[in-house]
Structure formats: C-alpha cells, structure tokens
Amino acid sequence: AQSVTQPDIHITVSEGASLELRCNYSYGATPYLFWYVQSPGQGLQLLLKYFSGDTLVQGIKGFEAEFKRSQSSFNLRKPSVHWSDAAEYFCSWGGGTASKLTFGTGTRLQVTL
Amino acid sequence: DGGITQSPKYLFRKEGQNVTLSCEQNLNHDAMYWYRQDPGQGLRLIYYSQIVNDFQKGDIAEGYSVSREKKESFPLTVTSAQKNPTAFYLCASSIGGQVNTEAFFGQGTRLTVV
C-alpha cells in the first residue's frame, strides 16, 4: 500500500545539537511530500514541501529536507536545535489520483537543555 | 486574519449522545477535511469535501457524518454509533482538492466521552 513511514516514535536531542527526522515513502512515482509540525494541543503547521526540482528544500524555522529517490526518503534536518523546536513532526505525502494527503504516525521531539 | 476556526476547543459527551464539532474557514478554500488524531496513530481521515454539497468518506467514516452546505463551513457530527469517540479532532482546508497543495489546519477540538 502507498504510505509514509516515520520509524522513530520519539527522539531526544540536546539544545544546539543537530537533528534528523526520518521519513520513508512507498510510491512508484515521485510523490508530493510535506513536513508539518504540531505543538501540544494545537493544529499542524507546514514546515516545507517538495514537488519536483531541487531535491534539497528549505523551510521555515531553519528546517530543511532532502528528497532521495534511491532511498525513498524525505528526511527533515536542522543544524542546531532550539528548545522551542520541541513538538511532534509529521511527514505526509500525496500522489497519483489521490485527492487527500496521507500522514505518517509522527515523531515526537524532546529537547534537553 | 484568514484562517480556520474550530469550536469548541474542549467538548464532553455522554455515551449515547450525538455531538457536532464546528469548523469554519475564511480562506476561500474549496476543499475541507476532518482528521482524527490518537496517540501513536498519526492523523486518520474521516471525511473530506472538495466542493460545496459534495463530500466523500475517508478511512474511518463509520460513526461520523458531515455536511457541506456552505463553502466556509464543514461541521462534523460524532454519532452514538461511534464506539470510541474520545480523540483529538482536526479540521483542515486547502485551495483545491489536489494533493500538491498545502493543507491549513484549525487548532483542534478535544472530545471526551464521560
């Protein structure tokens, strides 16, 4: 089945350390890929998106993601994490004839001071 | 300011009761969506609508109903047939129903069965 997988349920990093959140997709063609962030008890906010072209995309809040077709991945990265980045992060995808986005199960990021 | 408004933020329901969650948007978006969020399960699609007076079932539509009489409104009714309704519900909208467009989310409604 076409889907996205976020292998890490929970990640803890120290403030100032680098961050990489993993996302793998299962789809034959190039999908539309997104990363969203959710603060506790809130809705989701778009961080960045990939449709085509340059495989390294920049987003808000200093985040970036790289599309790697060979690995079916779209990992989210940040060079230096801030305590305010603590939240839940969702990868999502769309493609083909789908008229809806499908979301991964999320990765909860904890930042230690 | 443009956005999506969900109300109420917290809702308590007695077993056997129907409750309706409100979702209003002033973004002039054609498409609207309802998701259910449970810990560790991500977001699961309940219903979506790509145009006024039309909607489709998502992955977990049983026990829920919707209407789309106005472009800006997409209320969700949780019926007594929904056996486990306690969850966080998110409404979203997008410019069109295509998957290459960004979804904008409301702040959510937390429903608890008491």
Side-chain angles (χ1 to χ4, degrees):
Chain A
Q2 299 162 353
S3 65
V4 288
T5 302
Q6 294 181 247
D8 303 306
I9 297 173
H10 186 209
I11 284 183
T12 300
V13 300
S14 300
E15 188 175 42
S18 63
L19 171 70
E20 183 169 29
L21 302 182
R22 296 184 289 167
C23 173
N24 295 100
Y25 67 90
S26 172
Y27 183 62
T30 299
Y32 303 113
L33 294 163
F34 306 79
W35 274 101
Y36 288 84
V37 61
Q38 183 184 33
S39 297
Q42 301 295 313
L44 278 68
Q45 179 185 20
L46 181 71
L47 285 174
L48 47 79
K49 57 189 176 185
Y50 173 78
F51 296 158
S52 64
D54 194 346
T55 57
L56 184 63
V57 293
Q58 302 297 321
I60 63 172
K61 304 184 180 186
F63 285 93
E64 66 178 26
E66 186 171 12
F67 173 68
K68 293 185 177 180
R69 184 189 303 277
S70 61
Q71 299 177 19
S72 298
S73 69
F74 188 57
N75 295 348
L76 181 71
R77 303 193 296 245
K78 188 170 185 178
S80 178
V81 171
H82 188 263
W83 64 267
S84 60
D85 293 324
E88 189 151 22
Y89 292 79
F90 291 93
C91 180
S92 69
W93 83 280
T97 58
S99 56
K100 59 184 182 181
L101 289 178
T102 299
F103 289 82
T105 52
T107 297
R108 181 166 297 280
L109 174 65
Q110 182 177 359
V111 179
T112 58
L113 301 177
Chain B
D1 291 335
I4 299 179
T5 301
Q6 289 187 242
S7 62
K9 188 171 177 66
Y10 299 96
L11 185 58
F12 297 89
R13 189 195 91 170
K14 293 182 179 180
E15 288 193 17
Q17 284 184 335
N18 294 353
V19 290
T20 298
L21 283 60
S22 171
C23 178
E24 304 278 334
Q25 55 99 357
N26 60 3
L27 299 168
N28 199 32
H29 286 172
D30 287 314
M32 297 187 74
Y33 312 82
W34 274 106
Y35 291 90
R36 170 178 170 144
Q37 186 176 19
D38 298 281
Q41 297 194 47
L43 277 70
R44 292 182 290 168
L45 184 64
I46 304 172
Y47 269 98
Y48 63 105
S49 168
Q50 295 180 318
I51 196 169
V52 174
N53 293 320
D54 187 47
F55 49 83
Q56 287 79 41
K57 292 181 179 180
D59 301 317
I60 56 166
E62 185 175 353
Y64 300 97
S65 66
V66 295
S67 64
R68 187 84 187 278
E69 298 177 359
K70 298 185 296 182
K71 187 176 185 178
E72 59 270 22
S73 179
F74 192 41
L76 173 74
T77 297
V78 184
T79 74
S80 57
Q82 170 51 237
K83 297 307 178 186
N84 184 23
T86 294
F88 190 57
Y89 291 87
L90 286 163
C91 179
S93 71
S94 62
I95 293 175
Q98 301 305 310
V99 293
N100 60 348
T101 57
E102 173 187 355
F104 292 79
F105 284 82
Q107 296 300 294
T109 293
R110 184 165 299 281
L111 173 63
T112 303
V113 173
V114 297

